[in-house]
């Protein structure tokens, strides 16, 4: 999701046809939604204990971003049919089931019964399960199992069009592919809702701001023509180049609600609430692995050093899911690293919600309170682009935690 | 930086002693294919680059971490019997992760020599490890032997 202009975008999406308006001018919007909270139903918010001395882990990751969108074509290499499934940018978790469905379709069309899956990140694991569900015999070959992959260094929520492609380089055809993937994934995830351990869950996500939704700081920075664009420089240069597809599926994704005046429990002037799908990595990861083994799947720990290494696999069909590592392993220089970092504080099951404020996001999950500074410098989608310094930055973590911490020092818990 | 200095000095000392003591049964360590050779200077130079450009992620003792591969015991298992040009190629294309493609060939060769040495591989002769891909392609990363694994602890 385009975080920076979330207010503006969700206003446009939530209120059909209305132009962007200031908060004061939205009683008609609230009326259109018909859902101002009934007296006494405003949720009680338990404060998040966001303090740097509570950090239990800092995770850093490189989003595997390709300007043209994920690589999903079929190639013949080393005597194998190789179906690629990598380069899902900041949307790998969200799109995983839909991407797997497409990749496995190519594999199934070969009529081979045995397939190899390379990689055990979220893309490899869902590809392997989807192949099993299509009746195939699956072996995963991977250097690492899920807990050590870049996948578990994500934020872990439904963000299906986060740095997934550049509009121009991906073209209109990819928008249709994206829509199919997003819909298929969303529906598959519903199958995991309400299970023991809540592998997949929802949180109320509060988008907070001190300034009005149409204030200058919510408007994406105008493109600086002097910087050029991906077409002229080979690197994305401004936020506006990144594709936005969310409106294609607004019919099935819960819309944001304005929280007017007394409905807003936070010490900020403006708040919106959106139900957000989240992934609890621990319980979900173990569940997927269990399903894979129960269906007779095999895992071989192995690292490939060159595409010619594929020659000695017994399987003739390979689904290739190496994530960012494809930059070297498959010599795909179109992969651009987009660095991101999350910090993890002890779980707070009493405070199960999420929020975004001043470029920092917090999600209270079963395996910890996740805090991520996703845009603390006003760079929008350009934050982290081209940065492959995959090493924890404690100062950045503390800055993000301080934003959330500061919010709660001003917080007045509701009486009763 | 005192730490890397001590590391360097200690390494240089251990490199030299290894050369003095072990040249005799070097050939047995080199696995299939041609025997692997690298020079003490390469190992020392590699140690210096490693301390400055690699240790922050892969660890001062090559131990790696939860989210970074080690370059030690597990590493030797992952690369055993792999042509060495692939390892040199990987390092020169992909590392250091934040600035891939910036290492000059002699630094890459020195890093490979350093990694081999730290993992208990004993050089067959004092000839330096070549930089040319075609020559490296004839050498294979030696499979670890139980005794060399035990002997690597600095
Ligand atoms: C900070 C951050 C936040 C994010 N937040 C979200 C979010 O909220 N929602 C969302 O949908 N997405 C999010 N993403 C994006 C998402 O994490 C990625 O798109 C996704 O993890 C990619 O998964 P993957 O399986 O392709 O790659 P990886 O997780 O990197 O897995 C690759 C697998 O391949 C194996 N492998 C690689 N090379 C080799 C080789 N040579 N030989 C053998 N095995 C190999 C690895 O061991 C690993 O098992 C976020 C990313 C970051 C960095």
């Amino acid at each position: 999701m385009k975080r920076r202009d979330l207010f503006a975008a969700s206003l446009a999406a939530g209120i059909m046809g209305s132009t962007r308006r200031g908060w004061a001018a939205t009683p008609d919007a609230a009326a259109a939604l018909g859902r101002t909270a009934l007296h006494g139903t405003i949720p009680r918010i338990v404060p998040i204990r966001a303090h740097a001395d509570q950090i239990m882990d800092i995770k850093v990751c490189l989003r595997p971003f390709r300007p043209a969108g994920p690589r999903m074509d079929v190639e013949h290499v080393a005597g194998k049919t190789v179906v690629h499934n990598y380069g899902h940018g900041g949307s790998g978790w969200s799109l995983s089931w839909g991407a797997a469905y497409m990749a496995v379709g190519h594999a199934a069309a070969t009529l081979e019964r045995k397939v190899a899956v390379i990689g055990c990140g979220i893309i490899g694991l869902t590809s392997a399960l989807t192949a099993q569900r299509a009746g195939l015999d699956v072996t995963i070959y991977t250097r690492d199992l899920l807990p050590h992959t870049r996948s578990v260094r994500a934020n872990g929520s439904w963000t299906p069009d986060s740095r997934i492609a550049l509009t121009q380089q991906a073209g209109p055809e990819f928008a249709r592919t994206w829509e199919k993937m997003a819909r298929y994934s969303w529906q598959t995830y519903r199958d995991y809702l309400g299970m023991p351990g809540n592998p997949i869950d929802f949180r109320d996500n509060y988008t907070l701001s001190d300034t009005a939704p149409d204030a200058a700081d919510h408007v994406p920075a105008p493109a600086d023509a002097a910087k050029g664009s991906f077409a002229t420089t080979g690197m994305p240069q401004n936020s506006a180049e990144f594709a936005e597809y969310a409106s294609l599926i607004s019919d099935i994704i819960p819309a944001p609600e304005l929280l007017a005046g007394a409905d807003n429990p936070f010490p900020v002037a403006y708040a919106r609430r959106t139900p957000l799908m989240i992934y609890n990595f621990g319980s979900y990861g173990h569940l997927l692995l269990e399903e894979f083994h129960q269906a007779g799947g095999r895992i071989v720990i192995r690292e490939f050093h060159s595409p010619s290494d594929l020659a000695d696999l017994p399987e003739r069909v390979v689904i290739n899911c190496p994530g960012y590592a494809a930059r070297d392993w498959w010599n795909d220089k179109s992969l651009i690293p987009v660095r991101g970092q999350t910090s993890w504080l002890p779980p707070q099951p009493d405070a199960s919600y999420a929020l975004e404020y001043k470029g920092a996001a917090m999600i209270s999950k079963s395996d910890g309170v996740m805090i991520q500074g996703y845009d603390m410098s006003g760079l929008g989608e350009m934050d982290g682009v081209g940065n492959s310094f995959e090493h924890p930055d404690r100062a950045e973590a503390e800055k993000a935690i301080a934003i959330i911490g500061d919010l709660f020092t001003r917080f007045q818990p509701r009486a009763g | 930086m005192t730490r890397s200095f001590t590391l360097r000095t200690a390494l240089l000392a251990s490199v030299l002693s290894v050369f003095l003591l072990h040249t005799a049964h070097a050939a047995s360590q080199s696995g299939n294919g041609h025997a692997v050779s690298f020079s003490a200077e390469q190992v020392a130079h590699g140690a210096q680059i490693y301390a400055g450009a690699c240790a922050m992620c892969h660890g001062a003792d090559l131990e790696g971490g939860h989210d970074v591969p080690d370059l030690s015991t597990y590493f030797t298992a992952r690369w055993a019997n792999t042509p060495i040009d692939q390892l040199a190629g990987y390092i020169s294309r992909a590392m250091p992760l934040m600035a891939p493609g910036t290492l000059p060939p002699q630094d890459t060769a020195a890093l490979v020599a350093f990694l081999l040495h730290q993992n208990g591989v004993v050089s067959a002769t004092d000839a330096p490890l070549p930089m040319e891909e075609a020559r490296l392609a004839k050498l294979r990363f030696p499979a670890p032997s139980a005794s060399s694994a035990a002997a690597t602890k600095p």
Side-chain angles (χ1 to χ4, degrees):
Chain A
M1 185 166 295
K2 301 289 153 295
R3 307 273 196 175
R4 189 137 186 275
D5 49 2
L6 194 75
F7 266 99
S10 50
L11 259 178
I15 309 145
M16 303 290 288
S18 94
T19 50
R20 286 181 192 177
R21 282 148 169 255
W23 198 264
T26 52
D28 52 334
L33 288 165
R35 291 201 288 263
T36 337
L38 295 174
H39 184 68
T41 62
I42 299 160
R44 286 193 54 195
I45 296 291
V46 174
I48 295 296
R49 298 193 289 271
H51 309 295
D53 64 4
Q54 299 299 300
I55 292 176
M56 43 174 206
D57 203 357
I58 300 178
K59 293 269 188 217
V60 200
C61 156
L62 307 178
R63 299 172 181 86
F65 173 71
R66 294 177 88 243
R71 181 159 187 206
M72 307 191 68
D73 61 323
V74 181
E75 229 187 324
H76 297 278
V77 176
K80 311 291 175 182
T81 300
V82 179
V83 182
H84 293 295
N85 193 10
Y86 68 78
H88 301 79
S91 307
W93 283 87
S94 310
L95 297 177
S96 56
W97 291 106
Y101 179 68
M102 290 188 179
V104 171
H106 292 306
T110 64
L111 304 185
E112 291 282 337
R113 302 315 296 169
K114 289 179 185 294
V115 303
V117 171
I118 295 178
C120 194
I122 195 55
I123 299 293
L125 206 41
T126 51
S127 295
L129 283 158
T130 303
Q132 287 179 327
R133 291 170 193 181
L136 302 175
D137 217 344
V138 184
T139 303
I140 294 177
Y141 297 87
T142 185
R143 188 184 71 208
D144 308 295
L145 295 182
L146 187 69
H148 295 274
T149 63
R150 293 195 164 103
S151 289
V152 296
R153 302 178 222 156
N155 141 333
S157 57
W158 176 257
T159 61
D161 68 345
S162 164
R163 270 114 31 134
I164 184 68
L166 300 181
T167 312
Q168 197 189 328
Q169 279 63 34
E173 187 56 40
F174 179 67
R176 280 188 288 278
T177 304
W178 179 90
E179 180 178 347
K180 286 181 211 149
M181 288 195 289
R183 286 182 187 275
Y184 192 93
S185 260
W186 180 261
Q187 289 183 302
T188 308
Y189 272 124
R190 284 207 53 230
D191 185 42
Y192 288 95
L193 281 170
M195 294 189 65
N198 300 306
I200 305 301
D201 210 345
F202 270 85
R203 294 286 181 270
D204 281 343
N205 185 28
Y206 295 92
T207 307
L208 308 178
S209 177
D210 298 315
T211 53
D214 57 356
D217 58 336
H218 295 295
V219 179
D224 178 355
K227 281 190 182 163
S229 63
F230 179 83
T232 58
T233 66
M235 276 296 265
Q237 298 296 339
N238 65 76
S239 290
E241 291 184 71
F242 288 85
E244 272 184 74
Y245 303 122
S247 61
L248 297 174
I249 54 168
S250 55
D251 58 318
I252 50 166
I253 306 301
E257 288 182 87
L258 308 167
L259 297 185
D263 295 353
N264 173 6
F266 291 96
V268 297
Y270 303 96
R272 313 181 65 80
R273 179 176 54 214
T274 318
L276 175 69
M277 180 191 276
I278 64 147
Y279 316 120
N280 285 315
F281 297 145
S283 54
Y284 185 50
H286 286 286
L287 178 61
L288 294 185
L289 213 51
E290 230 167 75
E291 288 187 1
F292 178 69
H293 285 303
Q294 262 167 18
R298 275 197 336 130
I299 296 183
V300 175
I301 299 299
R302 154 155 196 196
E303 181 173 71
F304 298 90
H305 302 302
S306 141
S308 62
D309 291 355
L310 294 181
D312 56 64
L313 295 185
E315 296 84 2
R316 285 195 290 242
V317 176
V318 175
I319 304 178
N320 186 32
C321 316
Y324 181 75
R327 190 175 184 280
D328 188 77
W329 142 246
W330 214 264
N331 193 27
D332 185 346
K333 295 295 181 274
S334 72
L335 276 160
I336 295 174
V338 182
R339 183 186 181 278
Q341 174 173 298
T342 53
S343 345
W344 295 81
L345 313 184
Q348 264 191 261
D350 55 331
S352 64
Y353 58 93
L355 61 82
E356 290 173 25
Y357 181 52
K358 291 185 174 171
M362 184 287 297
I363 306 179
S364 176
K365 301 177 127 191
S366 66
D367 45 2
V369 169
M370 187 288 310
I371 293 180
Q372 175 192 20
Y374 61 89
D375 182 17
M376 298 190 292
S377 318
L379 297 173
E381 300 295 273
M382 288 301 295
D383 194 279
V385 170
N387 182 350
S388 58
F389 190 56
E390 197 172 20
H391 191 62
D393 178 344
R394 176 104 192 175
E396 177 191 323
E398 294 192 358
K399 187 174 167 192
I401 291 169
I403 291 173
I404 308 296
D406 164 69
L407 177 74
F408 284 103
T409 58
R410 293 182 278 124
F411 182 78
Q412 297 290 318
R414 252 164 231 275
Chain B
M1 282 289 93
T2 35
R3 185 166 175 189
S4 67
F5 176 74
T6 352
L7 176 76
R8 223 178 297 151
T9 327
L11 274 169
L12 200 54
S14 78
V15 171
L16 291 174
S17 66
V18 163
F19 265 79
L20 293 174
L21 295 171
H22 297 287
T23 358
H25 51 99
S28 64
Q29 296 277 345
S30 55
N32 50 2
H34 300 246
V36 179
S37 284
F38 47 84
S39 70
E41 290 70 28
Q42 283 182 316
V43 174
H45 182 50
Q48 210 173 330
I49 303 163
Y50 183 85
C54 322
M56 78 181 84
C57 294
H58 291 285
D61 297 326
L62 292 70
E63 72 276 19
H66 188 275
D67 297 336
V68 183
D70 80 317
L71 299 177
S72 179
T73 45
Y74 297 91
F75 169 72
T76 53
R78 286 191 297 265
W79 287 86
N81 302 318
T82 307
I84 289 183
D85 65 316
Q86 292 185 10
L87 176 60
Y90 181 84
I91 292 174
S92 74
R93 287 189 308 268
M95 293 293 137
L97 191 59
M98 64 288 191
T102 56
L103 291 169
Q106 65 272 23
D107 287 4
T108 303
L111 282 161
V112 173
F114 170 72
L115 293 178
L116 290 169
H117 172 263
Q118 290 304 99
N119 285 298
V121 177
V122 178
S123 183
T125 71
D126 198 17
L129 188 74
M131 286 182 268
E132 302 77 20
E133 211 179 294
R135 291 176 64 197
L136 286 173
K138 297 202 182 93
L139 308 173
R140 284 176 183 266
F141 195 101
S145 69
S147 60
S148 72
T152 50
K153 281 277 148 267

